[in-house]
Every structure is written in structure tokens, then in C-alpha cells.
Amino acid sequence: MSATPALYTGTIRVIDAEELHVAHNYHPLAVVIAKGEGVWVTDVEGKRYLDLLSAYSALNFGHRHPALLEAVNEQLERITLTSRAYHNDKLAGFASALARLCGKDLVLPMNTGAEAVETGIKVARAWAYRVKGVPQDAATVVVANGNFHGRTTTIVGFSDDPQARDDFGPYAPGFVSVPFGDAAAIEAAITPDTAAVLIEPIQGEAGVIVPPHGYLAAVREICTRNNVLLIADEIQSGLGRVGETFACDREDVVPDVYLLGKALGGGILPVSAVVADADVLGVIRPGEHGSTFGGNPLAAAVGLRVVELLETGELQRRAAALGLHLEERLGELVGHGVTAVRVAGLWAGVDIDPAVGTGRQVAERLLARGVLVKDTHGQTIRIAPPLVIRATELDWAVEQLRVVLAG
Ligand SMILES: *Cc1c(COP(=O)(O)O)cnc(C)c1O
């Protein structure tokens, strides 16, 4: 470490204090961020880093996007929280804009992604009993191996990641897991009691796993034919990341239910939503589901501005064009410290050759060169820059990766 002792002590002091007073449910990289703007963040020592993680795609629009800050600041002057016990003058505008973006009728606003997933499961079960006619408490949901849908007790119960799942049982029944990318396996798992198929169109946490082309369309067809809801968890894959508004758009697939979160809050506050047509989401009746903060006017103001940023399609086109560029540049690294690369828009999983080191070690070396990435599942690093990144910045970041891999 070449930093001056006084400043170095500053970083260490913050990290030590966190160790003492924050539960150890994360193992953060040794950087203490104090400021952010666009694709760049600055640490407490004044060192700048290019953010290639974007808070797991919650920062698709970058840090402190001016249009989003404007929406927040305007709303802060008016009102922030009402609860759904009353109407507020922002929720309807947000919901109608988001429903239009999704081509659906109704929005159920929540806060975190896991809440959107839980809500989607509740809606699917209620739909199964009230519309499809599944016998009480018999409804099942088909999920995919390698899934990541959040951290609540029900959700971790159908994860196959021991770190996410072990010692948190007993697990909720009613879930069947099949291999990801295999539509026939989904069909084989469907019974008359199946309420829904819940999948990520691209598995983010698993390492940006892109299913074979045709998978989503086949799953759509299977769900329709079997009267089963298709629930797409687009919490990480959606809202421009893959060069389309939704990852399902890559196969022109329209799910019955969209689960949205992360970037929906503009990187400012947690905003999530379940979006579906009235024949599905309409099954929920007053009093059956809710959230103290869901649909609050501040969140709605930010969410509306997020939808407006996406309505022009400009960011999606940008992500698509830059994504092709990223794919080409990362492809050049295969065989040079990289064993495989998977790219969808501005989203990439890069498998690191164990001879070079672990994903964590590569992330640490990139940190020292001013680039922030996060490893996942040992050998993979995930690259997901804010969609506002410039081509020159992207090239610079990939060049840092090339240098790190060259050792
Ligand atoms: C992050 C994520 C979630 C959970 O979102 P939280 O806001 O962390 O609860 C659910 N599904 C997917 C696909 C995610 O990437």
C-alpha cells in the first residue's frame, strides 16, 4: 500500500468500526466509498474508481443521475410518506407509467426485490385457488436450479446455494426446482396443481447465465398450454440492462407477471413492483397484502422518473450497442486468463482461469487499479456498469482487467 499512513489509517478505522458494529453478513472489498457521480465513485482518501457493479444493477442510471435527483428534491419539498391508508397524488402516475412500460394493467408497489418475489408467489397461489381451481394448499411453483430470488425464509428454501439456504430451515413447501435452460424439464415438472413457473430470464447472481435462445419462448408456450402463470424475475435483468427494456424482450416473450426492483428505485431508494394484468393481479383484495412503505410518494416520484428515462428507448439502445463492443473486447481475453465469457447487453459474467487466481483476487487487483467489480461463486466476476458509461471508459476498464489477468 502506497497511501500515506494518515489516510490509510482513515480507511482502516472505518473498516474496523464496521467489523465491530455491523453484522458480518457481507465480506466487502477494502474500499470506503464516500461520494459518487455517474459511473465514478470516490473513496475517503480521494481516490476515484469506475463502478462496474452498479449495486447489482440498482444503479443502471449511474450515481446521482440529475433527472432522478431533481425528482427526489421536488418531492422532498412536498411529502415523502403517507402510507396506503390514504391516497397520495404520486402513486397513480407512477403506476400508470410503469404499467404502460410493461404493457400490463396493474402495478402492486413494494420496496425490496425479495418483497416483490414474495408478492408474486402470493398472487400466483391466490390465482391458482380462486381462478384455476387448484385444491386449497396444493399449489406448487416451478423454479430453476441456480436461482437467486432474494433472502427471505420462503425464498432461500428453494435456493440450491448452500450458503443462502443451509441452517435457515424449515423450508416452505410448494416449490419444485428443475435445471435452468431446459424447457422440457419445466414441462415435466408441471402438474394440474402448478400455479406458476418463476424464473430469471438470465440468472444474474449465478454468474450471468444466459439460457439457450428459444428457452424463454418455449417456457412461455408451455405455461400458456398448461394454464400456468409465467413469472419473470426481471429485478436484475430488467430496465435496460440487456439492451432491451426486459430480458424477456430478447425472445419477444411477455410473461404473465413481471417482478421489478433494483433500478426501479434509480439507485436512490428501494422501489419494487409486481406488474400484471387485472385477471391475475386483480385476485388480491383489500387487506390481503400490503406494505407500510410500498407506493410512498417519494418512491413513486423516483419510479416515475425512472420509467420516463426508459420510455425513449435511448438507454436500451446504448446498452445494446456498448454491449456488443464489450462482448468483443471481453472475447479477446478468452484464453488469456479468462476461460469463458457470457454477455447480454451491458452485463457480463467473466470466468477467471484458476491459474490466474480466484474471482475475489481479481476483484482486489482491479480495485488497486481503480475498477470496482464483484466476484460471484468463486471464479466468476460480474461486469455491470451503469448504462450511461462511455465507450472510452468501458475500454479503459477492460484494459485494466487485461493488465490484471496478464499478472
Ligand atoms: C437482487 C435480486 C433479488 C432481491 O432483491 P433485494 O432488493 O435484494 O431483496 C431478487 N431477484 C433477483 C433476480 C435479484 O437479482
Side-chain angles (χ1 to χ4, degrees):
M1 253 297 187
S2 59
T4 69
L7 294 173
Y8 185 63
T9 306
T11 296
I12 291 301
R13 207 185 298 125
V14 173
I15 292 173
D16 282 350
E18 248 194 49
E19 284 276 310
L20 274 179
H21 300 295
V22 179
H24 295 176
N25 58 326
Y26 279 88
H27 177 38
L29 291 171
V31 57
V32 180
I33 295 168
K35 284 192 276 186
E37 178 109 42
V39 300
W40 295 92
V41 296
T42 307
D43 74 6
V44 288
E45 299 172 14
K47 191 173 173 208
R48 290 195 346 137
Y49 304 84
L50 202 152
D51 185 357
L52 284 189
L53 176 66
S54 308
Y56 309 94
S57 291
L59 286 157
N60 279 3
F61 312 99
H63 296 268
R64 301 170 62 250
H65 189 290
L68 297 170
L69 287 188
E70 184 191 62
V72 175
N73 286 327
E74 264 174 27
Q75 191 56 38
L76 283 175
E77 298 296 320
R78 299 167 62 87
I79 192 162
T80 53
L81 183 62
T82 54
S83 87
R84 295 283 307 279
Y86 318 119
H87 297 277
N88 71 63
D89 68 356
K90 281 287 172 295
L91 178 55
F94 166 52
S96 66
L98 182 59
R100 189 168 62 238
L101 187 76
C102 297
K104 298 286 186 192
D105 299 332
L106 294 178
V107 169
L108 199 167
M110 297 294 285
N111 312 284
T112 65
E115 287 175 310
V117 175
E118 291 276 355
T119 303
I121 292 167
K122 283 177 71 173
V123 168
R125 286 176 173 172
W127 174 86
Y129 302 131
R130 294 170 187 176
V131 178
K132 185 171 175 174
V134 171
Q136 245 341 283
D137 292 343
T140 59
V141 174
V142 179
V143 300
N145 298 348
N147 70 72
F148 181 85
H149 295 288
R151 300 295 196 169
T152 60
T153 48
T154 290
I155 292 172
V156 300
F158 58 83
S159 166
D160 55 12
D161 176 357
Q163 265 196 321
R165 176 188 158 96
D166 285 2
D167 294 333
F168 301 124
Y171 307 114
F175 298 93
V176 183
S177 193
V178 301
F180 183 62
D182 181 350
I186 285 186
E187 175 131 49
I190 288 176
T191 72
D193 294 339
T194 303
V197 170
L198 165 63
I199 50 170
E200 300 155 83
I202 293 176
Q203 289 188 332
E205 206 59 33
V208 191
I209 308 297
V210 183
H213 196 81
Y215 172 67
L216 298 175
V219 174
R220 171 69 280 180
E221 189 276 320
I222 289 164
C223 286
T224 304
R225 185 157 38 79
N226 289 281
N227 194 25
V228 165
L229 299 177
L230 174 56
I231 305 178
D233 181 345
E234 294 258 16
I235 289 166
Q236 193 169 156
S237 59
L239 307 181
R241 173 55 57 194
V242 302
E244 307 262 7
T245 304
F246 302 109
C248 282
D249 294 341
R250 288 160 53 94
E251 294 191 26
D252 293 324
V253 160
V254 179
D256 299 293
V257 179
Y258 287 103
L259 306 180
L260 303 174
K262 292 203 164 107
L264 192 57
I268 296 175
L269 72 177
V271 183
S272 69
V274 175
V275 188
D277 277 333
D279 58 345
V280 176
L281 203 39
V283 299
I284 295 290
R285 301 178 289 226
E288 292 182 339
H289 192 59
S291 161
T292 305
F293 290 95
N296 72 74
L298 189 62
V302 172
L304 172 60
R305 196 58 64 90
V306 162
V307 172
E308 287 169 352
L309 287 174
L310 289 167
E311 267 170 348
T312 66
E314 191 201 316
L315 273 169
Q316 292 91 319
R317 285 190 291 277
R318 209 187 147 69
L322 281 175
L324 289 176
H325 182 67
L326 178 66
E327 186 165 18
E328 206 179 298
R329 295 300 315 274
L330 289 176
E332 293 163 11
L333 300 178
V334 175
H336 303 276
V338 167
T339 54
V341 173
R342 298 166 296 277
V343 185
L346 269 180
W347 204 19
V350 179
D351 294 345
I352 304 299
D353 187 338
V356 171
T358 62
R360 173 81 186 191
Q361 287 166 334
V362 168
E364 283 166 355
R365 289 176 212 152
L366 279 171
L367 171 70
R369 300 191 69 85
V371 176
L372 299 181
V373 299
K374 180 72 174 68
D375 55 296
T376 183
H377 295 281
Q379 284 310 124
T380 302
I381 57 171
R382 173 174 25 187
I383 295 181
L387 309 182
V388 296
I389 194 170
R390 296 198 193 102
T392 49
E393 293 167 325
L394 198 57
D395 282 342
W396 177 80
V398 176
E399 175 59 15
Q400 303 317 302
L401 177 59
R402 193 192 63 75
V403 170
V404 159
L405 294 172

